[in-house]
Amino acid sequence: MNEIGKEFMDKTKFQYAERSDQSMGYPQPPLQKGAGGREVIELPEPGALNVKNIDLREAIEGRSSFRNFSPEQLSLGELSYLLWCTQGVRELMGNAATLRNVPSAGARHALETYILVNNVEGFEEGIYLFLPIEHKLAKIKTGSFVAENITVACLDQSFIRSSAVTFIWTAVIYRMKWRYGERGYRYINLDAGHVCQNLYLSAQSIDSGVCAIGAFFDDELNAVLGIDGEDEFVIYIATVGKK
């Protein structure tokens, strides 16, 4: 059991890569999940929000994990801005790829962004899915019980409940494996780090703090989101709230 990590790193070395589904002509998977017939909510244009100008060095040196959130609400404009900074689509390359505000191996962008809303202006508490190409949200599940279920799945870390919003990133793994095979599991973890760092840095410009979370019960959290844990699974979490 204690050799699993070592075995994974060994077996996903580049020299062991087999032919990818892309190279064999299999069709490319969709660039994002759709709303699936759910209610879709418009988001304000992210560029419409006035944010503080923060020197890049100041933002990097000031980055730290923050857990003691104030009860102040996050505005809808601020939520839109954070979603744009972390997964915003700058250019749609037909059906081939999206160019976003974060790097991704081969521009595969296999992450999906779910948000747990606790305290956002005008929003019902619950889970929503970000649609980055349209820059909209799809309502997945609402009710105050959702925050409780997610908190329990995250080892009862209470600052999830007190956050204004919690970002939950999942991996739709075939979107990455289609090009890179099993090595794609390495790349998806790298992508998650890029996205979360953007959240840390951008939150400072709206007087908010972030705390990344890697401790959670995978199966329980996947079940709360209604995903299967194989084709799509939770990979990273981060809480956000006003300081």
Side-chain angles (χ1 to χ4, degrees):
M1 189 71 175
N2 60 359
E3 294 293 317
I4 290 176
K6 182 179 178 181
E7 183 180 1
F8 167 76
M9 294 300 293
D10 183 61
K11 290 187 175 180
T12 56
K13 288 178 179 176
F14 198 82
Q15 64 260 36
Y16 300 139
E18 298 178 346
R19 284 192 67 191
S20 68
D21 283 2
Q22 179 186 17
S23 70
M24 292 188 287
Y26 287 93
Q28 174 174 289
L31 300 177
Q32 69 170 29
K33 291 184 70 173
R38 301 180 178 92
E39 178 184 349
V40 173
I41 300 161
E42 300 280 343
L43 289 169
E45 285 295 324
L49 182 71
N50 290 321
V51 299
K52 290 195 309 185
N53 286 323
I54 298 180
D55 178 78
L56 177 60
R57 179 170 178 171
E58 177 186 351
I60 292 172
E61 291 181 348
R63 189 223 58 79
S64 64
S65 292
F66 187 88
R67 298 173 178 83
N68 299 314
F69 305 117
S70 81
E72 183 182 350
Q73 286 188 318
L74 207 66
S75 74
L76 186 55
E78 289 170 329
L79 175 59
S80 175
Y81 167 71
L82 294 177
L83 288 165
W84 167 253
C85 289
T86 52
Q87 278 289 275
V89 174
R90 297 189 300 202
E91 187 176 353
L92 179 62
M93 311 293 288
N95 294 321
T98 54
L99 303 182
R100 307 194 189 189
N101 289 329
V102 289
S104 174
R108 297 310 303 144
H109 293 290
L111 297 179
E112 296 287 339
T113 304
Y114 293 79
I115 56 169
L116 166 66
V117 170
N118 289 322
N119 194 17
V120 175
E121 179 184 11
F123 256 66
E124 199 175 353
E125 294 178 42
I127 290 284
Y128 299 80
L129 172 66
F130 182 47
L131 308 174
I133 294 175
E134 300 89 346
H135 197 72
K136 297 177 182 179
L137 287 171
K139 185 185 291 187
I140 302 296
K141 187 185 302 184
T142 57
S144 58
F145 69 93
V146 180
E148 178 62 29
N149 291 343
I150 288 176
T151 302
V152 170
C154 294
L155 285 67
D156 286 312
Q157 296 179 78
S158 60
F159 56 94
I160 292 174
R161 292 192 198 93
S162 63
S163 70
V165 61
T166 294
F167 283 64
I168 305 171
W169 294 290
T170 67
V172 178
I173 193 60
Y174 186 63
R175 205 180 297 160
M176 186 67 75
K177 287 180 66 178
W178 174 76
R179 176 167 295 173
Y180 296 113
E182 294 302 302
R183 192 171 172 86
Y185 282 95
R186 285 199 190 196
Y187 297 154
I188 196 66
N189 285 285
L190 298 175
D191 282 9
H194 301 320
V195 172
C196 192
Q197 181 74 331
N198 266 29
L199 183 64
Y200 267 101
L201 297 178
S202 59
Q204 293 184 66
S205 63
I206 56 169
D207 297 315
S208 297
V210 174
C211 184
I213 296 173
F216 51 86
F217 292 110
D218 301 72
D219 295 339
E220 287 83 345
L221 195 49
N222 290 330
V224 173
L225 296 183
I227 57 179
D228 64 10
E230 293 187 11
D231 296 327
E232 182 180 5
F233 49 88
V234 176
I235 194 164
Y236 209 9
I237 306 170
T239 53
V240 184
K242 289 292 186 177
K243 294 183 177 180

